[in-house]
Amino acid sequence: MNRLQKQIGITAVLILALLFAGAASATVVLNFDQLNQNGEYVNDYYNGGCGGSYAGNAVTCGGPNYGIVWSNNTLAGGAPDGPWGNTANEPSLPNVIDFTSGTSAFMNVAAGFTTGFSFYYSSPYYTGSIDVYDGQNGTGTVLASLVLPQTAANCDGFAENYSCWAPIGVAFSGTAQSVSFGGTFIGDVGYIVFDDVTLGSDTPGGPPVGVPEPADLAMFGLGLLLVGLFAGLRRRYN
């Protein structure tokens, strides 16, 4: 193998590493809007699989394969005909999520995510909380925590109590593999709803202001690498 072939091989490996790093840490936004508006458990939908039936409603399959699995008490739905009839003014229509049992629900991300975590929520009656862990199902080290204060009710002229949405997020170091969502549950009803759950950013729906996407940084680095490579080749082989 001559020097040119070696240099091209090394460049190819670096290109793949840069592209993989950008893809692995890119921002992911879950808006739940592709699921059944009349109610569907999220389950494996964001793992390339299927949601779960709620009250006999149809199930949606073939969601984006982000490697994200939700605990089986996480229910997506819309208003006014869906399970969250007292919800309005959603950041993205038509669906939000709530939890149907227990005192918490989990989002597991097998490959992990970095940088930050954020979302919109509405909770006019009680406070809530989230904890970000470096292990699945709320295990390992807590990387970040947020207390979710009560929100107002009946915003922007809407009569529905869950119509005031607060954006909130947190940056952290390390690689997270799960998030625990805490709230108040009475019977089979949770008293907090979420939308636009965002992985990889402390700003719901996108990267922080002034910070480029990791994929953009990767491509910038790739451009510098190629410039250096071809400049070197010109000097050696001209």
Side-chain angles (χ1 to χ4, degrees):
M1 182 183 293
N2 62 35
R3 197 173 293 177
L4 174 61
Q5 289 172 324
K6 285 183 180 179
Q7 197 156 8
I8 291 173
I10 292 170
T11 301
V13 170
L14 290 173
I15 288 171
L16 289 174
L18 284 167
L19 293 176
F20 177 79
S25 55
T27 301
V28 171
V29 182
L30 312 180
N31 60 26
F32 314 101
D33 293 337
Q34 298 77 26
L35 296 164
N36 195 322
Q37 187 176 352
N38 292 320
E40 181 177 353
Y41 289 104
V42 183
N43 289 6
D44 290 313
Y45 178 74
Y46 289 110
N47 194 31
C50 301
S53 181
Y54 170 76
N57 293 329
V59 168
T60 309
C61 292
N65 190 2
Y66 296 140
I68 299 172
V69 177
W70 290 79
S71 56
N72 60 12
N73 60 341
T74 308
L75 181 66
D81 299 323
W84 317 128
N86 204 17
T87 300
N89 202 25
E90 300 90 333
S92 62
L93 293 170
N95 288 345
V96 300
I97 58 168
D98 195 357
F99 311 112
T100 58
S101 63
T103 57
S104 62
F106 292 98
M107 179 190 72
N108 287 312
V109 187
F113 65 99
T114 61
T115 306
F117 181 70
S118 54
F119 49 89
Y120 290 92
Y121 78 99
S122 182
S123 185
Y125 300 109
Y126 302 98
T127 61
S129 64
I130 68 105
D131 293 294
V132 180
Y133 295 87
D134 66 1
Q136 294 195 35
N137 295 307
T139 61
T141 302
V142 176
L143 301 178
S145 296
L146 283 173
V147 174
L148 309 180
Q150 286 179 243
T151 60
N154 312 113
C155 284
D156 299 327
F158 288 92
E160 291 81 1
N161 289 340
Y162 292 85
S163 56
C164 302
W165 292 87
I168 193 167
V170 61
F172 60 86
S173 299
T175 300
Q177 286 197 323
S178 67
V179 178
S180 170
F181 295 76
T184 297
F185 298 82
I186 299 175
D188 61 352
V189 177
Y191 283 80
I192 186 169
V193 289
F194 298 87
D195 202 1
D196 287 3
V197 172
T198 302
L199 289 69
S201 174
D202 59 1
T203 302
V209 175
V211 178
E213 285 272 18
D216 295 335
L217 293 175
M219 293 306 295
F220 176 72
L222 173 60
L224 291 178
L225 180 67
L226 291 175
V227 169
L229 169 64
F230 288 111
L233 290 178
R234 286 190 63 185
R235 286 195 299 269
R236 293 185 182 187
Y237 295 99
N238 281 345

